Amino acid sequence: MPRKIIFDTDPGQDDAVAILTALASPDELEVLGIVAVAGNVGLDLTTRNALQVVELAGRPDVPVFAGCDRPTKRRSITGAHVHGEGGLNGPDLPPPTMRLQQKHGVDFLIDTLAAAEPGSITLCTLGPLTNVATALARAPDIVRRAGSIVMMAGAYFEVGNITPAAEFNIYFDPEAADLVFRSGIPIVMHSLDVSHRILTTPERLTRFAGLGNRCGKAVAEMLNFSQTFDLAKYEWEGAPLHDPCVTAWLLQPDLFGSRDVNVTIETNSDLTLGMTVVDFWQITDRPRNVTFSHAVNAEGFYDLLAEKLSRLP
Ligand code: RIB
Ligand code: CA
């Protein structure tokens, strides 16, 4: 039986690769729906981008919903400096033809979890945690029926990418992240500590471009665009690839090394707002609320992505 999942996402080229890899794996993953959230760019664009990605994969059967258009408490920030003004810059994708669902994405999360067997649905978050936190605030007992949250967020050794102390998905809405990390829902967290070890080298992007299908070509064009900022910033042989860690873990968890730790979110200090304070060495007796990935097999990760993406149109 495939694992039932819901994506919560702010596409974002790396979000797109995570979603495409999942849509290429129908025997392992049943994507019940995709909920867009404001993050890398505004909700109008992340929603459009999500529709484009689903159609690129030839899967208009997967419903797309619009969620929250701003953080729960603070002003929005943007990731357009990395992802482009449209959020999915790179390929020239046609405007979406499939319709956006009318139901609000937060209502979809609540209603779907309410109707499902407890523990049977995995929430896969690729962006800020605003939608999940809003659902938790509105219907905590229902949302706690989620089996787990598998997320790309935060960091320990790599610390921050949008500030010296914070990773973008957390920093966009720290209060939402705090609510989610305190919810008691089991969390599997893939952070900058792994995404900084799986770089989009020229050989890897050439491999995607050479898959012989439209999705491989589009993925290469997406990542060729989104890597520009990080190549200049880090001066590495490639750029970090963040969100597909979520899908890769679902498909092949042995690609990752992890440990159960406490992760607590900084929501007060101006200097370290949005920091994921990871008790990696288990110094405190804080509850171990997170399975934290700290190692990854990069070659195996890219082999998995190439194999899956090759199955798409
Ligand atoms: O910090 C990386 C995260 O921020 C990724 O999810 C990327 O898509 C952006 O949302
Ligand atoms: Ca994202």
Side-chain angles (χ1 to χ4, degrees):
M1 279 288 283
R3 181 197 284 249
K4 296 180 188 296
I5 68 171
I6 295 173
F7 276 117
D8 197 279
T9 178
D10 62 336
Q13 292 87 350
D14 59 323
D15 304 65
V17 180
I19 294 166
L20 288 169
T21 304
L23 295 177
S25 312
D27 294 340
E28 300 97 328
L29 302 172
E30 180 184 357
V31 182
L32 300 178
I34 295 174
V35 182
V37 67
N40 286 322
V41 288
L43 180 66
D44 57 332
L45 291 172
T46 59
T47 303
R48 181 204 66 183
N49 296 344
L51 292 167
Q52 286 181 310
V53 169
V54 168
E55 288 194 317
L56 176 67
R59 290 292 308 278
D61 57 296
V62 178
V64 176
F65 302 82
C68 297
D69 66 355
R70 71 198 66 187
T72 49
K73 287 191 172 47
R74 297 173 188 270
R75 292 163 58 89
S76 279
I77 58 171
T78 175
H81 57 291
V82 175
H83 301 278
E85 290 306 317
L88 203 59
N89 291 39
D92 183 16
L93 299 178
T97 57
M98 66 184 275
R99 292 172 55 79
L100 178 68
Q101 299 295 312
Q102 289 310 300
K103 178 180 278 193
H104 191 284
V106 172
D107 293 331
F108 170 73
L109 288 172
I110 294 171
D111 295 347
T112 308
L113 288 165
E117 277 298 304
S120 64
I121 293 178
T122 303
L123 302 182
C124 301
T125 65
L126 311 177
L129 293 166
T130 311
N131 288 338
V132 176
T134 302
L136 266 170
R138 195 184 303 169
D141 294 343
I142 291 175
V143 179
R144 288 198 185 104
R145 289 159 65 103
S148 62
I149 302 172
V150 183
M151 63 171 63
M152 189 281 142
Y156 176 59
F157 295 99
E158 293 296 317
V159 198
N161 61 359
I162 193 70
T163 77
E167 178 276 327
F168 179 87
N169 287 340
I170 302 290
Y171 186 71
F172 185 93
D173 196 340
E175 286 75 17
D178 185 44
L179 196 61
V180 170
F181 277 74
R182 292 179 188 277
S183 68
I185 302 171
I187 292 171
V188 180
M189 176 177 166
H190 305 289
S191 73
L192 302 180
D193 289 14
V194 287
S195 67
H196 283 194
R197 298 181 181 165
I198 42 179
L199 304 180
T200 60
T201 63
E203 297 76 21
R204 290 165 175 167
L205 295 190
T206 301
R207 184 178 184 186
F208 289 153
L211 290 177
N213 58 357
R214 72 179 187 214
C215 287
K217 177 175 179 290
V219 161
E221 291 166 344
M222 287 178 194
L223 298 181
N224 263 309
F225 180 92
S226 60
Q227 72 173 0
T228 308
F229 179 85
D230 284 340
L231 288 178
K233 172 178 174 182
Y234 296 112
E235 296 182 341
W236 293 337
E237 62 174 341
L241 185 51
H242 306 291
D243 294 340
C245 290
V246 169
T247 310
W249 184 87
L250 293 169
L251 294 171
Q252 203 174 327
D254 63 2
L255 286 173
F256 298 86
S258 58
R259 69 168 62 175
D260 292 342
V261 296
N262 175 267
V263 178
T264 301
I265 309 299
E266 175 59 69
T267 56
N268 296 308
S269 156
D270 289 338
L271 181 62
T272 57
L273 179 69
M275 185 175 195
T276 46
V277 181
V278 181
D279 185 1
F280 190 81
W281 303 111
Q282 295 155 358
I283 297 166
T284 74
D285 59 359
R286 294 173 191 158
R288 297 182 190 180
N289 54 339
V290 172
T291 298
F292 181 82
S293 291
H294 56 82
V296 59
N297 170 350
E299 284 311 311
F301 173 86
Y302 279 94
D303 287 346
L304 174 67
L305 260 54
E307 195 279 320
K308 291 297 184 181
L309 293 171
S310 70
R311 300 179 182 201
L312 292 170

